[in-house]
Amino acid sequence: MTTFRELEAFVAVVDMGSFEKAARSLDTSQSAISRLIGEFEEGFKHPLFNRAHRSAYLTIEGHEVLRQARALLRQRSNLMERFANPELMASTLRLGVTELAAITWLGSFVADLKIRYPRLRLDLKVDSSPRLYAQMQDGQLDMAIVLDFTRSTNMARIPVGSATFGWFCASALALPQSLKLSEFERETLLIQGTPGGAGNQIESWLVDKGVKLANTIQSDSLAALTGICVAGLGIASLPRAIAADAVGAGLLREIRIPPGAPKMAYIFLVRADALSAFHRSVAELVRRNCDFDRAMIPQSRPT
C-alpha cells in the first residue's frame, strides 16, 4: 500500500533532481529515500525513473504518477488545514525572506505564525531575492518573499506589499538638500549589487527616468551600504526603514532629486503545483504583518 511518506519522497526526488538532495530536504538519509522510492515503484507495472541518466529523469508513466502524487499531497494538506486542529499540526516550513523583511516585519509575522501553528517548525533562510528564487526553483524552499523581479510559469505569485526607498548621503557631505538631475548624475551612487535584485531594479528605474549613471558602488548588504554612505562615499539608495535610525542619529540626511525615489514591490512565492490552503493561510499572515517601511528593531549605528 502506498504511503504519504512514499509520495513525499517521490515528489522531493523530482523537485530536487537527486536522491541526495531529496534526503536533505526531507531531513532523512539517502538510503531511506532509496528505500521509499523502491517500495513506491513496486506498485507500478513500469519504472517511474529512467535509470540511464544520473539525474532523476521521469519516464512517461512517471510524469503521470507525479501529477497524481502532487494532487494527493495537496488534497491532504487542504484536508488538514480545513479540519485538523492547527495546534496539533506538526511540520516544517522552509521559508526564505530578504534582509529587509528580516529587519522590518518578520518578527511580528513569526509571532502570529506560532500562535496559529504552535507545533510548526520554521526553517528560515535570509538571502537576496535572486538567490531565494533559485532555491525555490531547486526545491530547497517551500515559500519565499522576494522582490517582484521575474516571471515563472511554475510559481504562484501573491503580492504582499512594497518598500519605499529614498536617496541619502552623509550629513557632513557638502551637497544641497535638492539636486538638479545633472548634479545627481555626477555623484557616486551606492546601490545593492545582487544581479537581478534591487540594484538592477533601481538602475532600470533610473534609466527609465532618463538618468545617466556615471559611477556606482554596489553591496549585497543593506547594513554595509548604509555604513559606506555614512562614510561619505556617495549617495545611497536605501529603504526608508533602513535609513531612519541613521537619519535620526544625525549621520545621514535625505537628498531630493527631480525623478523622486522608487518603490519596490514584493511577492509571496510558492510552487503552483503545491499551492494549498496552508500556503494561502501563511500568505494571509504575511500580508497582515507586511510593513517594509518600519524597522521592528532600531538599527545599530554604522561604524
Side-chain angles (χ1 to χ4, degrees):
M1 177 183 292
T2 298
T3 66
F4 280 114
R5 189 64 175 167
E6 291 172 2
L7 292 174
E8 289 172 341
F10 175 63
V11 172
V13 168
V14 176
D15 287 344
M16 301 299 291
S18 73
F19 284 45
E20 181 184 359
K21 291 180 180 179
R24 287 201 300 267
S25 72
L26 294 178
D27 196 22
T28 187
S29 66
Q30 186 173 342
S31 60
I33 292 294
S34 297
R35 176 180 55 78
L36 287 167
I37 294 299
E39 293 172 352
F40 184 57
E41 282 190 295
E42 286 178 359
F44 299 92
K45 295 180 180 179
H46 303 284
L48 302 181
F49 291 101
N50 186 341
R51 261 67 180 188
H53 299 274
R54 296 189 63 181
S55 299
Y57 281 92
L58 289 175
T59 61
I60 294 175
E61 292 80 5
H63 281 287
E64 177 59 25
V65 172
L66 176 64
R67 188 177 66 84
Q68 298 292 341
R70 290 196 192 280
L72 286 169
L73 290 175
R74 187 163 54 248
Q75 288 171 8
R76 182 188 65 167
S77 179
N78 289 337
L79 178 69
M80 295 300 294
E81 174 65 23
R82 183 172 181 183
F83 296 108
N85 184 347
E87 295 183 1
L88 301 180
M89 290 180 63
S91 185
T92 298
L93 171 60
R94 300 173 302 167
L95 176 68
V97 299
T98 62
E99 179 186 4
L100 182 57
I103 290 172
T104 52
W105 53 267
L106 182 65
S108 60
F109 161 74
V110 171
D112 278 358
L113 187 68
K114 290 298 183 183
I115 291 173
R116 184 169 295 186
Y117 302 105
R119 298 182 63 190
L120 182 71
R121 177 177 173 269
L122 184 62
D123 185 357
L124 191 65
K125 177 72 172 180
V126 180
D127 212 328
S128 67
S129 290
R131 285 194 282 266
L132 292 174
Y133 179 79
Q135 291 169 47
M136 284 291 300
Q137 291 286 16
D138 289 343
Q140 299 176 45
L141 294 173
D142 301 312
M143 310 174 194
I145 292 89
V146 299
L147 277 167
D148 186 8
F149 71 97
T150 188
R151 298 291 184 270
S152 177
T153 57
N154 67 335
M155 294 285 176
R157 304 163 63 260
I158 303 173
V160 293
S162 60
T164 305
F165 279 61
W167 301 103
F168 299 89
C169 73
S171 295
L173 208 60
L175 288 175
Q177 191 70 27
S178 298
L179 294 178
K180 297 177 181 178
L181 197 55
S182 58
E183 295 172 328
F184 179 73
E185 290 174 334
R186 291 196 295 268
E187 298 295 326
T188 298
L189 300 186
L190 315 176
I191 58 178
Q192 282 185 281
T194 305
N200 279 17
Q201 286 201 320
I202 290 169
E203 286 185 0
S204 296
W205 182 88
L206 287 168
V207 171
D208 289 343
K209 299 293 184 181
V211 180
K212 297 179 178 65
L213 302 178
N215 186 37
T216 62
I217 296 176
Q218 299 180 334
S219 172
D220 286 350
S221 168
L222 288 171
L225 207 61
T226 304
I228 295 170
C229 186
V230 168
L233 298 184
I235 298 175
S237 172
L238 295 171
R240 293 190 183 280
I242 298 295
D245 193 52
V247 170
L251 299 173
L252 293 180
R253 59 188 177 88
E254 188 167 2
I255 295 290
R256 308 288 182 181
I257 64 172
K263 292 189 74 170
M264 297 293 171
Y266 283 78
I267 55 174
F268 178 94
L269 275 185
V270 62
R271 291 185 67 94
D273 52 24
L275 186 61
S276 68
F278 171 70
H279 297 98
R280 292 188 177 91
S281 175
V282 174
E284 183 267 325
L285 288 179
V286 170
R287 284 196 299 267
R288 180 190 301 175
N289 288 279
C290 183
D291 184 356
F292 286 102
D293 292 336
R294 183 173 62 88
M296 295 293 294
I297 302 172
Q299 304 302 293
S300 59
R301 294 186 181 185
T303 57

